[in-house]
Amino acid sequence: MKTIQAYRFALDLTPGQERDVLAHAGAARVAHNWALAKVKAVMDQRTAERSYGVPHEALTPSLSWSLAGLRKAWNAAKPGVAPWWDEVSKEAFNTGLDALARGLKNWADSRKGARAGRPVRFPRFKSRRRTTPSVRFTTGAIRVEPDRMHVVLPRLGRLKLHESARKLARRLDNGTARIMSATVRRDGGRWHVSFTVEVERAERAPARPQSVVGVDVGIKHLAVLSTGELVDNPRHLVAAQQRMRSLGRALSRKTGPDRRTARRASKRWERAAARLGRAHARVANLRRDGLHKLTTRLSREHSMIVVEHLNVAGMLANRRLARHIADAGFAEIRRQLAYKTGWNNGQLLLADRWYPSSKTCSGCGTVKTKLALSEREYTCEACGLVIDRDRNASLNLAALAAEFDTAGSGPVAARGADQKTRVRGQVATKREPGTASAGQTGTVPPQGRTTNHVLAKAH
């Protein structure tokens, strides 16, 4: 199975190498800003000519927004715009032009309704001080040295790695991987190189081929599994909050930049900002490491994983819980499970956003009208079941796998109530298209208890 995978390594650059990388990142920014100014000038000129009544045939010729069109315009103008263009790799200019081409395409598709999600605004100019330095190489000498502690990139030469690249080197030596591009980027005060690699992955099977697990993510516990396992939430951001506040107060006492008076930041402010940035980067790295370990273990053990399609953007509107929700990384868990289950020949099912996993009794299928967030224990008034709220939700998610087997492939369809939920008794679930033949009506059977669920009932 061929797939696209990234390998990311930290770099230990010398001062001279760091200047060379910054020069390449600056060249990418120059090309991006020049092309954006050219596109805006042509658009404004054509708009003005239309207002004067100039016919369409006589308008100023439009500039192509594709990467090839922007590159052609840049190659014609670069001797005058950037007389130093031969001091850096051509890939540096290609990086900036490619970013602009993708940004313009996303903006145009968003305006036409061809792109899902939030509206995309028109690309903006990149600032030297606020833009993350980055450059991408797609051609030329890109390789890992035999000692696995150095990489070679075009024009930058031999760069030392902070850690061994043995995992990537083994695949390259075996012929099961091919490097497609390499991106050098400064993140959290450190330089990293990311290799985009086409990998030939061996066919794998989950350790438990018939295992189905429901995963209910939360704040108190990062994940509650239908097997009864509780995954603690490390809360890395909360643990580092005191140090971040101290660093933030120290930063506020320094002389920072001021755009209104064109005042530049002091050296002390820059050092304090770097310390704060490293603290944030450490929290992000700890969170990323924990989520990768969790999702890798789940995808390797279970053949089918059921999670909820949560509205994380809407949940972040709760200012009391926004910080804890962002620290948990709900969306990242689902994103990682999506591709890791494919790597291990598993399946990931997404329960509909409106599916009442917490309000539904995992024993008899009764749906409660309301369930306050403060109620951490679910008590069913119909069958008397008493169970932890998150454990109940995970069992309901796991039970959806049985409906997936009968309904066909794809994510689990919407499951809501046709009418307001009654206080007691089971409620008919939402009618689904395709569940009944023409001229007939039908409903999805109510969810019930499965044989492998061990539940505790109140006596």
Side-chain angles (χ1 to χ4, degrees), residues 144-449:
V144 179
E145 291 285 81
D147 63 355
R148 301 178 179 180
M149 289 299 297
H150 293 82
V151 296
V152 175
L153 298 178
R155 297 299 293 266
L156 297 179
R158 193 167 182 258
L159 307 180
K160 186 178 185 301
L161 297 177
H162 185 72
E163 53 191 327
S164 175
R166 59 182 179 276
K167 290 186 178 181
L168 174 59
R170 287 170 185 168
R171 288 189 175 274
L172 294 174
D173 295 340
N174 296 334
T176 58
R178 180 175 64 90
I179 297 178
M180 303 176 64
S181 67
T183 302
V184 181
R185 174 188 174 94
R186 188 172 65 188
D187 184 17
R190 275 209 91 107
W191 287 97
H192 295 82
V193 56
S194 300
F195 293 98
T196 302
V197 184
E198 184 184 48
V199 178
E200 180 70 30
R201 298 185 65 91
E203 294 291 336
R204 300 188 58 175
R208 301 161 62 184
Q210 303 300 325
S211 175
V212 177
V213 62
V215 182
D216 182 72
V217 296
I219 296 176
K220 182 179 179 181
H221 294 96
L222 181 59
V224 177
L225 309 185
S226 58
T227 58
E229 180 184 353
L230 304 178
V231 180
D232 291 333
N233 185 1
R235 305 194 182 194
H236 299 296
L237 183 60
V238 175
Q241 199 66 41
Q242 183 176 355
R243 172 170 170 76
M244 287 185 175
R245 288 173 179 170
S246 176
L247 293 175
R249 287 194 295 267
L251 178 65
S252 66
R253 292 192 292 267
K254 308 296 189 293
T255 303
D258 191 341
R259 297 180 63 184
R260 295 172 299 178
T261 61
R263 182 184 66 191
R264 298 183 61 178
S266 65
K267 295 297 183 181
R268 290 186 176 182
W269 186 93
E270 292 180 352
R271 288 195 293 268
R275 285 193 293 269
L276 181 59
R278 286 194 295 270
H280 279 282
R282 182 177 184 274
V283 171
N285 291 336
L286 289 172
R287 182 188 302 117
R288 185 185 302 114
D289 178 70
L291 295 183
H292 272 295
K293 289 178 179 177
L294 171 63
T295 54
T296 298
R297 179 169 63 87
L298 292 176
S299 61
R300 287 182 177 178
E301 288 184 3
H302 306 281
S303 63
M304 186 173 292
I305 304 174
V306 187
V307 296
E308 288 183 293
H309 183 11
L310 298 174
N311 180 18
V312 179
M315 296 169 66
L316 292 175
N318 186 338
R319 67 182 186 89
R320 296 182 181 274
L321 299 176
R323 178 184 300 169
H324 302 286
I325 293 172
D327 189 22
F330 294 161
E332 182 66 11
I333 293 176
R334 192 188 71 192
R335 186 191 73 84
Q336 293 182 12
L337 286 174
Y339 69 85
K340 289 184 181 181
T341 50
W343 287 357
N344 295 277
N345 283 331
Q347 291 178 307
L348 175 66
L349 304 186
L350 297 180
D352 186 80
R353 179 177 297 178
W354 306 110
Y355 170 60
S357 61
S358 298
K359 296 180 180 180
T360 304
C361 176
S362 58
C364 64
T366 301
V367 181
K368 280 194 173 185
T369 307
K370 292 183 180 180
L371 184 65
L373 189 60
S374 58
E375 297 181 40
R376 305 312 306 169
E377 196 171 67
Y378 184 91
T379 303
C380 180
E381 299 179 0
C383 65
L385 174 66
V386 179
I387 189 174
D388 179 76
R389 173 198 182 108
D390 298 333
R391 164 80 165 144
N392 178 70
S394 64
L395 291 173
N396 287 327
L397 292 175
L400 290 180
E403 298 183 15
F404 172 82
D405 293 337
T406 58
S409 60
V412 175
R415 289 173 53 88
D418 282 340
Q419 56 188 354
K420 186 175 180 179
T421 308
R422 298 191 299 271
V423 177
R424 294 178 64 89
Q426 295 187 356
V427 180
T429 52
K430 185 176 181 179
R431 191 177 300 116
E432 299 294 340
T435 56
S437 58
Q440 298 179 351
T441 59
T443 58
V444 176
Q447 179 179 335
R449 180 176 178 178

Side-chain angles (χ1 to χ4, degrees), residues 108-128:
D109 292 345
S110 180
R111 290 192 65 187
K112 294 184 296 186
R115 178 184 171 89
R118 295 181 178 179
V120 178
R121 61 183 176 184
F122 195 78
R124 298 187 297 176
F125 292 99
K126 293 183 179 294
S127 168
R128 182 169 69 92

Side-chain angles (χ1 to χ4, degrees), residues 35 39 63-74 97 100-101 104:
V39 169
L63 180 63
S64 174
W65 289 0
S66 65
L67 176 58
L70 295 177
R71 188 188 295 138
K72 182 179 180 180
W74 166 256
L97 298 176
L100 178 61
L104 291 171

